[in-house]
Amino acid sequence: MIYIKSTEEIHLIKSAAKIWKKARDMLINNTKVGVNLNALDQQVADLVDSLGASCSFYQYNGFPKHLCISVNDELIHGIPRNYFIKPNDLITFDLGITYQNHICDAAFTIHVSPTSDVPFKINLATKTALMEAIKVIKPGNHVGDISHTIMSIAQMHGFTVIKDYGGHGCGNYLHEDPMILNYGKPHTGPLITKGMTLCIEPMLMTDNDEYFIDPIDHWTVKSKNHKLTCQWEHMVLVTEHGCEILTGEL
């Protein structure tokens, strides 16, 4: 079901987004070489709790941590662990915030202390795909227009997109319709309508789209060739003539 949000629902989702941005800023400031991923997870949990909200992913379908932290060949759903950040790591933080039963969900990627431009290229391509896709979000266009834009930008930069995961509606629940895949045809799929709140999340891979789910933690999605992957995600509100990015700019 696609939920068209009321004024009150939009207000609460925006409140959740403000807390998400505070957590994002803290992660940006604290993500450095030598920092432990478990420590970052706990810092986010403590901050979010102090602001009267909760981390949406915690215990969601049994997920054991407060946010997803995916490193290098880990595309999505990485579980924070006893790993110390190294130079040149490409780290994606995916965080959901629940505030008064309404949700903000978004992700961003940090290239830590670069020693190579290879991670920079996929990071830039993924963020570019996100921002270009957001430009086509307006009433009268279709979800397929978003999907096609992401796919086109990824291919233009020499990368592939994962086929089995994508963006989604969000706000009243963590995952709502419509599903927003990272590939598709223009002018297809559900019509974009004022009042939708959507999570747009390009997920790029290197050389091919083959992946596996870690057999030990049963969550982390990794590239089968163990080459670099990247995810970015913004949450947007569809407005009368376009959309508003609720999770700010980076």
Side-chain angles (χ1 to χ4, degrees), residues 84-95:
F84 294 89
I85 296 172
K86 301 174 183 177
N88 215 42
D89 275 344
L90 194 64
I91 302 180
T92 296
F93 298 95
D94 191 354
L95 173 64

Side-chain angles (χ1 to χ4, degrees), residues 2 136 138 140-149 151 178-192 196:
I2 296 176
V136 307
K138 61 181 180 180
N141 282 353
H142 293 259
V143 166
D145 299 318
I146 302 171
S147 302
H148 178 75
T149 300
M151 177 183 68
M179 180 71 172
I180 307 171
L181 294 171
N182 289 316
Y183 68 101
K185 297 180 179 180
H187 317 304
T188 64
L191 195 66
I192 298 171
M196 286 181 171

Side-chain angles (χ1 to χ4, degrees), residues 33 35 164 220 226 229:
V33 172
V35 172
D164 297 332
T220 309
H226 295 291
T229 67

Side-chain angles (χ1 to χ4, degrees), residues 5-195:
K5 307 306 191 297
S6 67
T7 301
E8 177 61 21
E9 288 169 336
I10 291 169
H11 171 74
L12 291 172
I13 293 166
K14 286 185 174 182
S15 297
K18 289 179 181 178
I19 296 170
W20 183 92
K21 285 185 278 191
K22 291 180 183 294
R24 175 203 61 194
D25 292 345
M26 186 190 72
L27 284 167
I28 291 172
N29 289 332
N30 293 356
T31 299
K32 301 173 182 177
V33 172
V35 172
N36 187 281
L37 300 189
N38 278 330
L40 291 174
D41 180 79
Q42 190 59 53
Q43 289 168 13
V44 167
D46 291 345
L47 173 64
V48 171
D49 181 69
S50 74
L51 296 172
S54 61
C55 296
S56 309
F57 301 166
Y58 183 63
Q59 294 302 319
Y60 179 75
N61 291 335
F63 190 79
K65 294 286 187 172
H66 300 90
L67 72 159
C68 299
I69 308 180
S70 305
V71 183
N72 297 328
D73 66 340
E74 301 169 351
L75 179 61
I76 51 173
H77 303 164
I79 298 177
R81 61 194 187 279
N82 189 33
Y83 176 86
F84 294 89
I85 296 172
K86 301 174 183 177
N88 215 42
D89 275 344
L90 194 64
I91 302 180
T92 296
F93 298 95
D94 191 354
L95 173 64
I97 297 294
T98 301
Y99 177 75
Q100 294 190 16
N101 295 318
H102 289 76
I103 297 170
C104 171
D105 174 21
F108 61 98
T109 296
I110 297 176
H111 184 194
V112 182
S113 296
T115 61
S116 165
D117 66 351
V118 176
F120 171 82
K121 290 177 181 177
I122 192 170
N123 195 22
L124 177 62
T126 309
K127 186 178 180 182
T128 299
L130 172 63
M131 300 312 296
E132 290 300 312
I134 287 173
K135 291 179 182 178
V136 307
I137 299 176
K138 61 181 180 180
N141 282 353
H142 293 259
V143 166
D145 299 318
I146 302 171
S147 302
H148 178 75
T149 300
I150 293 171
M151 177 183 68
S152 299
I153 297 296
Q155 291 174 345
M156 184 185 306
H157 286 264
F159 296 101
T160 60
V161 296
I162 197 166
K163 298 296 195 300
D164 297 332
Y165 297 89
H168 51 91
C170 183
N172 293 354
Y173 302 93
L174 181 56
H175 293 112
E176 302 172 357
D177 291 332
M179 180 71 172
I180 307 171
L181 294 171
N182 289 316
Y183 68 101
K185 297 180 179 180
H187 317 304
T188 64
L191 195 66
I192 298 171
T193 305
K194 180 183 176 182

